[in-house]
Amino acid sequence: MTEPSKRQRLSHVNSSTSALGGVLSGGQRHGSGEGDVFVEGAIVRITMKNFLTYDYSVVYPGPNLNMIVGANGTGKSSIVCAICLGLAGKTAILGRGDKVGLYVKRGCPKGFIEIELYKKSGNVVINREIHVENNQTLWMLNGRHCNQKTVEEEVKALRIQVSNLCQFLPQEKVGEFAKMSKIELLEATEKSVGPPEMYQYHCELKDFRNKERQLESAVKEKASFLEKAKQRNERNKHDVNRYYEKKRHMDVIELLEKKKPWVEYETTLKEHASVKKEREDAKNQLIALKQAQAPMLNKIQEIDNRLKPTEAQIKAKTVAIKEASLKCKQKQDQLDRKHKEIDDIKQTLRLKQMEEEDHQKRISNTRRTIEDLKAELAKVGDQPDVTPRINVVNIELRRIQEERAKIEGDKGDLRREKDNLFAESKMLERKLNDMNNMMNAKEEKLRGRHRDTYTALQWLRKNRHLFEGNVHEPMMLVINVKDHRFAKYVENHISFHDLRAFVFQRKDDMEKFMTEVRDKMNLKVNSISAPEESCSKRPPSRNIESLRRFGFFTYLREMFDAPDEVMSYLCHQYKVHDVPVGKEQTKAMIKTVIEEPYLRVFYTTDERYTVKRSFYSNKISTSNSAVHASQYLTITVDAEEKGQQEQKMKACAVQLQQIDEQMKALQKEAAVLDRRDNELLAEKKHLCELKGKKRQLEQKISTKQDSLRQMEQSAIDLTKIEEDTNVKIAAVNSQKVAIVSALMAQMKLRTKLTMEKVYLALETVALTAERAKLENDCREGASELKIVDQILRLLEQRRNQLKEQCTNLMKTAKLKCSIQAGEPLPANLSKAFSKLPDTLDEIEAMLNEERSRAECFTSLSETVVDEYNRREQEIKHLEKELEAKTNALNTYRQNITEAKERWLNPLKQLVEQINDKFSDFFRSMQCAGEVDLHSENEDEYDKYGIRIRVKFHSSTQLHELTAYHQSGGERSVSTMLYLMALQELNRCPFRVVDEINQGMDPINERRVFDIVVRTACKQTVSQYFFITPKLLQNLQYAEEMTILCVHNGAYMLPPNQWDEKAFIKRYTKRKSRQGSGGQK
């Protein structure tokens, strides 16, 4: 290895402390040495006190490539943290602790960072003092107290951007570079190597484009609104003309309506005079008619006086005739009743005769029935006794009844068992549905966060048969946390990339899966192959009981269930079997806990702690971070319990099927018993009928004999009944004779009264005929009188109506013309009236015509005219506004074109330069790579981006650099070479890359190292910090390099005891010994 430099460098170490903080380089320097060419803003000195692993240390980097080398845990990344925080960077950039107080060395109340930056006019010294309590910071700039804003402005003026991954790439952010979008990469590149105004021009262009869109929208909106207003006004112009035409018709209608009451008044006044004259004539005619009819009316009155007594006598005779007729009717009714009474007596006799005839027939029938029954009884007495057979049938029936009762009992037990099993099945079904719903909720969260993984999951479920080994769905779906409170520990411990990864038992299955979903379907998914030897049952390094005194209650593996392959991978990769989880007690004893051996990672209630022990000094360094709330694993579904529930469901189904079969068998047995029971009952019924038939016959014979005796004793005496009937008929006939005599007397009286009434009626007819003749003579005159009287009343009524109508018409006419009472008609109205018709018919005809014409103009009002005039003014105003906005838009587009040329042309040149360097670097590695400016639309300035495409194998095509397509080592190489392509453009004062070579294979690492040395050791490039824990042997070094070896720990040699000359002497002696041994 060549000597790094002839300059003497030695870091400053606080002599009062042990050798915990020291950085060894080639010698000591307090400033910029001769020959050292620092660029503006480069780091000249870094001082750390009580910061992370350091008590006190001073680092003097060189102006070109600075290789910071040291074992893990010695404090290399602490220097990177000091650069970031010392230059007002945010803790989020480092991806470690989120509070600045966590970067102070444990046990110290405050820490100190001082960074000296090179500046031609005088170096800039930034001092940051960090207090653990309340995470407060005190800033000083060039020895003066200031605020963070002042420091940020000074850092920005020196073009330092610690938040830009193209300039500052800490260890925890290496993987994020490949995840940057093309747009983000362009902005980071502009800030890092572009001219100061390039990013400003880009931002202005994006703002200009947004404002251009707003102006285009405003112009389009104004033009559309103006066109619509013109079209609307053009339509309304016709309405305005029609409105004025309608107004002319309405004025004529108004004049006609004013004249109409005057014409009506004059017409009504003439009619009133004519009716008054006709009334006087009718009155004189009525008086003459009344005088001519007086003698005939007196004669009619005399006849009426003679008719009144005769009519009274006729009424009296009529009443007497009615009374005689009524009495005749009563006697006739009595006579009819006596006729009916005789008929009833005869009918009663006939009924008795028929009753006796039926009585004799029943006696005869009863005697025949008794004889038949006796003959049948004689036959029955010869048959054998059936009682023994009936007893046998009864015993058989009881046995069948007992068997049926037993079957019903068995059926009842089976039904109850079936109901219980059905209820249990329903309960299990509900539980499984709840579990499936919870799984669906997990899948919805997966789809919302990473749709590609969800699409691949659906493909896997349809094509699972393509794989030979076990294939598990994404971990977040198959991991089941036993208690939702523990989900946050599991989710914080396992990265999201692995949570959404598919787990395969066989590697060939994984390759087949990735070929289908990643290459063919172009989905961004993660997949994992489980270890060949299962690690899922691997025991922890220490029994949990030995850790309970620190508050630990379980290991992370015991908090969740997962399939064997998934658990095996988590135990192998994340050591979940060896990560304990503690309580508040653990946090209270944290200083004691971190001293405990074998504890690498552990959790307290709300924090995760990582403990590292130096390989050289055994010194402990810790980092802690907050445990964030769980997002995906809080929904817990116990897979084992789900499997048990499914097995129970299947068992229930089998038992239900068995019960149904048993029920069918019992039904068949019951049907056989029912048939046998029916047969025995039919036989028993027949036997009982045979046994009881003799007894029934004897009872029937006895009953019939009793009935016969009763019928013989109840015979009817018809002779006596006939004699009683004749006596009753004779008595009724004697009563009929008396009634007929009374009836004849009343009929004679009625005839006499009728004759007398006829004589009176004839007298009345003669008088009535005379009166009718007189009334007929008088009726002609009376009719004329009545007509005249009626005419007179109508004329009087009409006269009054016309008089009142004239009064009202005069008032209406004056009111229409707005004339006061007593005032004459104005001359202008009189002149206007003279041009109009003079009769009502003509006025009505003209009025109807004008109204019809006016009605043709519908939906018109005065607001149409007002709206038309107002819109005319708006149109003029809009035309002026549109012209102004169109001019502004044209001017804006011209400005955008000029700004685009100022930004795009230098940007294309910059990207071409980066592409030339990037391509050369890749060609030197026998690979291919290119960088280009990518945009789908030239006018969408916020969509411009830098696209990196690489090819590491000759058989493949160029592929865009993403976080998914390339391997980790390929991404590291691509990232490093892109940063080196930026290095020679020398726009930022320094770049920091932390442990980017860890994922590279030795060949690529050697190639990249050579490129870094060649590029970063040129005099014109900016300062470069390359941090690595190890280097390959026989690398090529340059004189311009500065190698900073970090020896930090309890068992390291203190810096003040380091003898550089002795080290070189021993190294030279060893080399010479090796050379002489080779010659021998």
Side-chain angles (χ1 to χ4, degrees), residues 1063-1076:
F1063 173 77
I1064 296 173
K1065 185 177 180 181
R1066 284 198 304 272
Y1067 175 75
T1068 305
K1069 188 182 294 183
R1070 187 183 302 119
K1071 290 287 287 183
S1072 62
R1073 264 200 316 271
Q1074 291 175 354
S1076 61

Side-chain angles (χ1 to χ4, degrees), residues 701-966:
I701 291 170
S702 175
T703 301
K704 291 294 181 181
Q705 288 175 345
D706 292 339
S707 177
L708 180 60
R709 284 191 294 271
Q710 290 177 2
M711 286 190 290
E712 288 175 347
Q713 292 173 3
S714 60
I716 300 173
D717 189 358
L718 286 177
T719 305
K720 184 179 179 183
I721 291 172
E722 290 175 355
E723 292 175 356
D724 292 340
T725 298
N726 292 332
V727 171
K728 289 179 181 178
I729 291 172
V732 173
N733 284 333
S734 63
Q735 293 174 3
K736 285 173 64 179
V737 171
I739 292 171
V740 169
S741 300
L743 175 61
M744 294 303 293
Q746 288 298 325
M747 289 179 67
K748 290 178 181 179
L749 176 62
R750 186 178 63 182
T751 302
K752 180 184 176 184
L753 291 172
T754 301
M755 292 302 294
E756 291 176 354
K757 180 182 177 183
V758 169
Y759 295 144
L760 289 172
L762 291 172
E763 185 180 353
T764 302
V765 168
L767 291 172
T768 302
E770 186 181 357
R771 189 185 67 173
K773 183 178 179 301
L774 290 171
E775 285 180 347
N776 190 35
D777 294 338
C778 187
R779 190 174 290 117
E780 294 178 2
S783 177
E784 187 179 355
L785 179 65
K786 187 177 180 180
I787 292 171
V788 173
D789 184 53
Q790 197 172 23
I791 290 172
L792 180 62
R793 285 197 301 272
L794 291 173
L795 289 172
E796 181 66 26
Q797 185 179 358
R798 180 62 177 160
R799 185 184 71 85
N800 294 332
Q801 289 176 352
L802 290 172
K803 184 177 180 181
E804 185 178 358
Q805 192 174 356
C806 285
T807 304
N808 292 335
L809 286 171
M810 177 56 75
K811 290 180 180 178
T812 303
K814 290 191 175 183
L815 184 63
K816 285 274 187 182
C817 298
S818 303
I819 300 173
Q820 299 295 328
E823 293 183 2
L825 185 67
N828 59 337
L829 281 179
S830 179
K831 183 179 179 182
F833 287 169
S834 64
K835 298 178 182 178
L836 299 175
D838 295 326
T839 63
L840 276 177
D841 292 339
E842 292 175 343
I843 288 175
E844 283 292 343
M846 187 174 182
L847 193 58
N848 290 333
E849 182 182 353
E850 293 295 328
R851 282 175 179 165
S852 298
R853 291 181 178 177
E855 286 173 358
C856 293
F857 303 95
T858 56
S859 304
L860 295 175
S861 64
E862 193 173 355
T863 56
V864 175
V865 180
D866 295 339
E867 181 70 16
Y868 177 81
N869 295 331
R870 182 184 62 77
R871 197 175 286 115
E872 279 291 328
Q873 296 299 321
E874 285 184 0
I875 289 171
K876 293 179 182 178
H877 182 66
L878 284 172
E879 287 174 344
K880 292 180 181 178
E881 285 187 354
L882 180 61
E883 184 180 1
K885 286 189 178 293
T886 304
N887 294 335
L889 177 59
N890 294 332
T891 304
Y892 220 83
R893 285 174 175 167
Q894 182 64 32
N895 294 338
I896 290 175
T897 303
E898 296 173 359
K900 181 179 179 181
E901 292 177 357
R902 290 197 303 270
W903 170 74
L904 190 57
N905 293 336
L907 178 62
K908 286 180 178 179
Q909 295 175 2
L910 179 64
V911 173
E912 286 177 2
Q913 293 175 13
I914 296 171
N915 180 52
D916 292 342
K917 293 293 181 183
F918 189 75
S919 301
D920 290 343
F921 291 155
F922 262 85
R923 278 194 297 273
S924 68
M925 294 178 60
Q926 298 178 359
C927 300
E930 65 179 33
V931 178
D932 62 356
L933 187 64
H934 182 266
S935 175
E936 296 178 358
N937 186 344
E938 289 189 359
D939 294 331
E940 299 298 331
Y941 306 109
D942 54 347
K943 298 294 189 297
Y944 274 80
I946 285 182
R947 180 173 60 180
I948 300 176
R949 296 196 297 164
V950 295
K951 181 177 75 170
F952 287 89
H953 306 286
S954 59
S955 60
T956 61
Q957 299 294 324
L958 285 169
H959 287 285
E960 187 174 345
L961 180 65
T962 65
Y964 310 100
H965 195 277
Q966 289 80 15

Side-chain angles (χ1 to χ4, degrees), residues 966-983:
Q966 289 80 15
S967 66
E970 291 171 346
R971 291 197 299 270
S972 297
V973 170
S974 303
T975 302
M976 192 67 185
L977 294 185
Y978 184 79
L979 295 179
M980 294 313 301
L982 303 181
Q983 181 71 13

